[in-house]
Amino acid sequence: MKSQSTLQPIIIKGKKLPVPIVQGGMGVGVSLHPLARAVAQEGGMGIVSSACLDRLVSKRNNKKVNSYEAAYEEVSLAKAGGYAGINIMWALFRDYNDSVKGALDAGADAIISGAGLPLNLPSIQPPKDTALIPIVSSARALEIICKKWEKHGYRPDAVVLEGPLAGGHLGFRIDDVELESNKLENLFPPVKDMAIKYGDIPVIVAGGIYTHGDIVRYVNMGAAGVQMGTRFLATEESSASAAYKSAVVGSRDEDIVVAHRPGSPCGLPFRVIKQSPMYASALKRLRKPKCDKGYVLLKDADGKYSICGAKESNENFFCICNGLLSSGGYNTDQEEALYTVGTNASRVDRIMSVKDLMRELAGAGA
Ligand SMILES: Cc1cc2nc3c(=O)[nH]c(=O)nc-3n(C[C@H](O)[C@H](O)[C@H](O)COP(=O)(O)O)c2cc1C
Ligand code: SF4
């Protein structure tokens, strides 16, 4: 049953999304198929996260699967609900192409990709009717992507503009996170102009959207829709651990901080609840560096994936693979959890069902 919406549908790559709400990909193990499928059933876009998905699906199935198989399975299960796709972070270099291929072969409705500029996304495999949607934080980033994708004969099917209030990695330098010019409402007009220049690409805004009124405000400014993370994190269907959900409900404004030195080895600012066990330990440099997951490794001079800032020292970086896997309920007896949230987590006062949340956001009955 789709939520009755007072909002207009979006058409992306010829497919109609009845409710213009994208549930943002949330790794590690927060947006898996139960959440994505529930959102799709309500007429929104359900997005699973590819982050560390091979380990999560292998554990669930009690059988080892690789990144291609994990993406294929999770997208297929999510699509049973309706319009569904996958978020694949560019920063996950090692598994990026395999995750893209698995999602395309499963017939994902969309691949959404950020945490870096996904410059080669259209060239990995013909996307057929899967929409390719980059995430950007500026008009300049959108232009770079459009120019590069033009060389592959492709144009983004939509773009997500994510501002600095979002959860997860932030596409801004640490000193620029709080700038007035980087507020979502100020980033939007130039990105909208750039999107028009490259063929009226639909712009989906993200970061700090909380209410139906927020959605209406951006739609009236010219956005095609919104992407939301934190509100979907706090649902019954999200696969975050119970401790993570209670930390979200219990969080106050002053508990939500942008981690940086110690921060993410991906090099981008990363928003967390400061009481997250791994973050609290990282501030005291308690965890000894140990690399046993390797999802964010970069290539060395010999072309081997061997480089990560968190591997050698605990001064500037925490081990994001293990912290986030633990917050998704994996390895909890061995590693402490790291809770990432958007700034609005402090407004969350209860865990809701996706159905109730989608009805509220869509303005059903309003
Ligand atoms: C728990 C959590 C995990 C996230 N993980 C990812 C991710 O893996 N990849 C990504 O591109 N964005 C990620 N995000 C960002 C969301 O997809 C979304 O764009 C953002 O949270 C929107 O801001 P909001 O939380 O204020 O709604 C994450 C956000 C949260 C809250
Ligand atoms: S050190 Fe940790 S964060 Fe870095 S690649 Fe290894 S497991 Fe991942």
Side-chain angles (χ1 to χ4, degrees):
M1 248 281 286
K2 298 190 184 358
S3 298
Q4 292 298 311
S5 176
T6 59
L7 304 166
Q8 293 301 309
I10 330 179
I11 311 282
I12 299 177
K13 207 170 181 178
K15 293 187 203 167
K16 184 164 145 185
L17 183 66
V19 183
I21 297 174
V22 179
Q23 161 259 305
M26 290 180 282
V28 170
V30 173
S31 66
L32 296 176
H33 75 265
L35 175 58
R37 185 158 61 188
V39 173
Q41 274 165 347
E42 296 304 316
M45 190 192 296
I47 297 290
V48 299
S49 161
S50 81
C52 313
L53 197 54
D54 56 340
R55 276 192 165 75
L56 298 170
V57 174
S58 298
K59 184 177 174 191
R60 182 175 73 208
N61 294 355
N62 208 9
K63 176 175 170 268
K64 195 160 170 38
V65 298
N66 59 32
S67 299
Y68 171 92
E69 294 161 333
Y72 186 98
E73 174 169 327
E74 212 57 19
V75 167
S76 305
L77 291 169
K79 264 180 64 78
Y83 196 119
I86 189 166
N87 176 290
I88 308 179
M89 284 190 285
W90 178 237
L92 303 172
F93 300 106
R94 198 189 60 181
D95 296 356
Y96 191 84
N97 287 11
D98 290 343
S99 303
V100 168
K101 289 176 187 172
L104 290 175
D105 289 347
D109 291 308
I111 294 179
I112 302 185
S113 187
L117 299 183
L119 295 178
N120 74 344
L121 178 55
S123 67
I124 295 169
Q125 182 174 302
K128 299 196 186 143
D129 63 353
T130 300
L132 302 184
I133 306 179
I135 304 175
V136 301
S137 317
S138 67
R140 190 168 160 270
L142 177 58
E143 178 147 55
I144 293 169
I145 289 171
C146 288
K147 282 195 171 148
K148 180 75 187 196
W149 285 22
E150 264 176 0
K151 294 192 181 133
H152 301 300
Y154 207 86
R155 193 194 79 183
D157 297 294
V159 60
V160 174
L161 166 63
E162 192 182 73
L165 300 184
H169 288 101
L170 310 176
F172 301 88
R173 283 198 297 256
I174 185 72
D175 295 337
D176 296 348
V177 169
E178 308 249 323
L179 288 182
E180 180 69 22
S181 55
N182 283 337
K183 285 194 168 153
L184 184 60
E185 61 265 39
N186 297 329
L187 294 171
F188 179 73
V191 168
K192 174 76 183 166
D193 288 346
M194 191 65 74
I196 292 172
K197 177 175 161 191
Y198 280 90
D200 216 359
I201 301 166
V203 182
I204 296 163
V205 291
I209 314 285
Y210 197 79
T211 63
H212 173 70
D214 295 339
I215 301 173
V216 170
R217 176 171 168 233
Y218 277 98
V219 166
N220 288 341
M221 283 169 74
V226 298
Q227 173 172 290
M228 302 176 66
T230 302
R231 293 223 64 191
F232 288 103
L233 162 65
T235 57
E236 289 159 9
E237 291 85 346
S238 100
S239 297
S241 65
Y244 191 168
K245 290 183 192 178
S246 13
V248 171
V249 172
S251 66
R252 301 158 300 172
D253 283 349
E254 59 271 32
D255 299 330
I256 298 165
V257 298
V258 178
H260 176 71
R261 293 173 193 253
S264 166
C266 300
L268 296 168
F270 188 73
R271 185 165 278 115
V272 295
I273 298 181
K274 72 176 184 202
Q275 294 87 352
S276 312
M278 179 176 271
Y279 184 63
S281 295
L283 289 173
K284 298 183 200 144
R285 277 58 180 182
L286 288 181
R287 182 186 182 276
K288 296 221 166 38
K290 181 176 92 174
C291 181
D292 58 353
K293 303 295 188 298
Y295 290 101
V296 299
L297 288 171
L298 297 173
K299 277 187 183 168
D300 59 24
D302 298 327
K304 285 201 196 109
Y305 285 101
S306 72
I307 300 175
C308 172
K311 198 174 155 184
E312 315 299 341
S313 142
N314 58 12
E315 273 301 303
N316 292 323
F317 304 109
F318 42 64
C319 179
I320 197 163
C321 299
N322 278 303
L324 293 184
L325 271 164
S326 183
S327 65
Y330 185 92
N331 245 6
T332 41
D333 51 339
Q334 288 155 51
E335 293 283 354
E336 292 182 314
L338 183 63
Y339 304 142
T340 182
V341 292
T343 48
N344 275 328
S346 57
R347 293 168 75 179
V348 172
D349 58 6
R350 72 204 147 103
I351 303 300
M352 296 173 73
S353 70
V354 164
K355 192 179 187 61
D356 289 346
L357 177 59
M358 285 293 284
R359 283 181 60 81
E360 179 192 313
L361 295 175

